[in-house]
Amino acid sequence: MKQERVNEEQLQPYWPLVKEMTAGREVTWLNGQKLHTYDADLPITIEDMKEAHARLRRFAPFLAHVFPETKEAGGVIESPFMEIPSMKEYLEKKHGTILEGGLYLKADHLLPVAGSVKARGGMYEVLKYAENIAMQHNLLLTEEDYSKLATDEMKTFFSNYSLAVGSTGNLGLSIGMTGAALGFQTTVHMSADAKEWKKKRLRDKGVTVIEYEEDYSQAVEEGRRMSARTKNSFFIDDEHSKELFVGYSTAALRLQKQLQEQQIIIDENHPLIVYLPCGVGGAPGGIFAGLKRVFGEHVYGFFAEPVQAPCMLLGLLTGLHDQIAVQDVGIDLRTEADGLAVGRPSSFVGKAVAPHLDGIFTVSDDKLFVYLHQMNELEGERLEPSALAGMEGPVRAKMSGWLDKQFTSSQRQNAIHLVWSTGGSLVPEKEMSAMIKKGKQLQS
Ligand SMILES: *Cc1c(COP(=O)(O)O)cnc(C)c1O
């Protein structure tokens, strides 16, 4: 499905911003299309989210069994919510500004099994598929103890089915690990950006990894084609999947509980502002839609993209969604933020978030590394480059004038700025120290 290059005339109205983007400069875009009817047209309901939450609960005994690292949490795949005051101080100093309110991190880099935000969507979709086919064959009841899915008998049953997915790395890791644990024949189609260690980790688990020299969209396209030719094969479609989206959205119910536990109130006088790294859009879109369902008009959201991969920004800005790719305007997709190295956004997600999102900003790769180093130094958290895209969000919200325009001074004082850290805990030590070193050098 190769599209024609978009012509310049179509881009004319957006030219000033697009020109900044193609010149490799960072931009901050505020969404003029935002509506104030907060829950209009979201593709998921609170019931969808609760149903997904209940399904994940049913699977918890199975997950605790096959992934020992989840045993202590009883098979619940969740991450900490923490305040990062030293990072806040650093950002204020670096940018010469004062950030009112608190700076927090949703530490999805610590999600077990996949080590990234993809644990939420990817695992959920595979588990739901497994549940469906097991039930269709009368091999499972919702009331049963799902640890029975870990038996050899069930693994043999699932080995008659195939799973496939296209990925820049992390989604493949999430789906591959879960698929292999259930016994599915799993194939991951990896784009050129995917890191070597991610491929190795999967192959070690018996997952078939097919490598492409092209970008993510190409890997997805090939994967979809091959899967369609394979009997009993299910293709997990990152660009269109509602199940992935629902899986991501459950993060909102979990966060709500964590906020309650720490007695943090979200209401008109205590706005929640989230900063989410965005690739094709599924993870940030699903999380943000879930947050909208839970916190309504009191939650605000920005997506963050690399300067070299601003696909969602280009899609939303022009309204062309997946009919435009960053390569069409001469942006080359060369970014170290492999999780975000996507040239064409999901139109499903773009259309879903367009009326709700507050803005999108882009960040240079160099800054991602500097923040990577600082997060390690100041907060002791090890994140991969993609996971740092949102870190400058509160600064952008402030410096663009958005914060002052949106809120009163007391609302700003009470604001919860939440940066979503989306991956990094499984990065091998050697690679991590090299990245930390790079960030340290870039800073000086
Ligand atoms: C995939 C990914 C994202 C973004 O998710 P999309 O669904 O592609 O938008 C962000 N950070 C990391 C580390 C990722 O792997």
Side-chain angles (χ1 to χ4, degrees), residues 24 39 62 82 96 109 142 150 168 194-195 200 215 219 236 249 256 263 269 283 289 356 368 383 390 404 408 410 419:
D39 56 359
F62 166 77
M82 55 179 90
H109 61 292
T142 39
T168 64
K195 301 282 182 239
K200 181 170 184 310
D215 77 349
I236 294 176
S249 76
Q256 182 183 35
Q263 291 166 353
N269 279 314
H356 305 286
L368 298 179
L383 278 49
D404 290 343
T408 64
S410 103
V419 172

Side-chain angles (χ1 to χ4, degrees), residues 100 403-404 407-415:
E100 300 142 301
L403 264 180
D404 290 343
F407 301 115
T408 64
S409 148
S410 103
Q411 286 173 317
R412 288 197 301 273
Q413 293 296 337
N414 295 329

Side-chain angles (χ1 to χ4, degrees), residues 178-251:
T178 317
L182 282 156
F184 285 109
Q185 295 187 44
T186 310
T187 305
V188 177
H189 300 263
M190 288 285 203
S191 68
D193 313 277
K195 301 282 182 239
E196 227 22 72
W197 67 267
K198 293 179 186 171
K199 300 175 201 165
K200 181 170 184 310
R201 210 177 162 96
L202 285 171
R203 287 184 173 130
D204 288 348
K205 292 280 172 198
V207 173
T208 305
V209 178
I210 302 180
E211 300 175 62
Y212 294 84
E213 282 176 24
E214 292 92 4
D215 77 349
Y216 162 84
S217 308
Q218 212 60 29
V220 170
E221 210 174 302
E222 268 313 303
R224 195 183 279 132
R225 208 179 353 248
M226 269 179 67
S227 180
R229 287 200 304 258
T230 310
K231 193 169 157 261
N232 283 343
S233 181
F234 179 56
F235 182 73
I236 294 176
D237 192 335
D238 201 9
E239 291 171 334
H240 305 99
S241 168
K242 181 168 168 197
E243 299 312 333
L244 275 176
F245 197 83
V246 172
Y248 287 124
S249 76
T250 59

Side-chain angles (χ1 to χ4, degrees), residues 82 109-110 373-383:
M82 55 179 90
H109 61 292
L110 297 174
H373 156 61
Q374 291 295 346
M375 274 301 285
N376 176 60
E377 188 84 7
L378 300 170
E379 304 284 354
E381 296 298 331
R382 296 184 153 200
L383 278 49

Side-chain angles (χ1 to χ4, degrees), residues 57 67 98 152 166 180 259 279 295 305 336 381:
R57 276 212 162 278
F67 301 119
I98 298 290
D152 286 345
L259 289 167
F295 299 107
E305 301 188 299
E336 284 295 318
E381 296 298 331

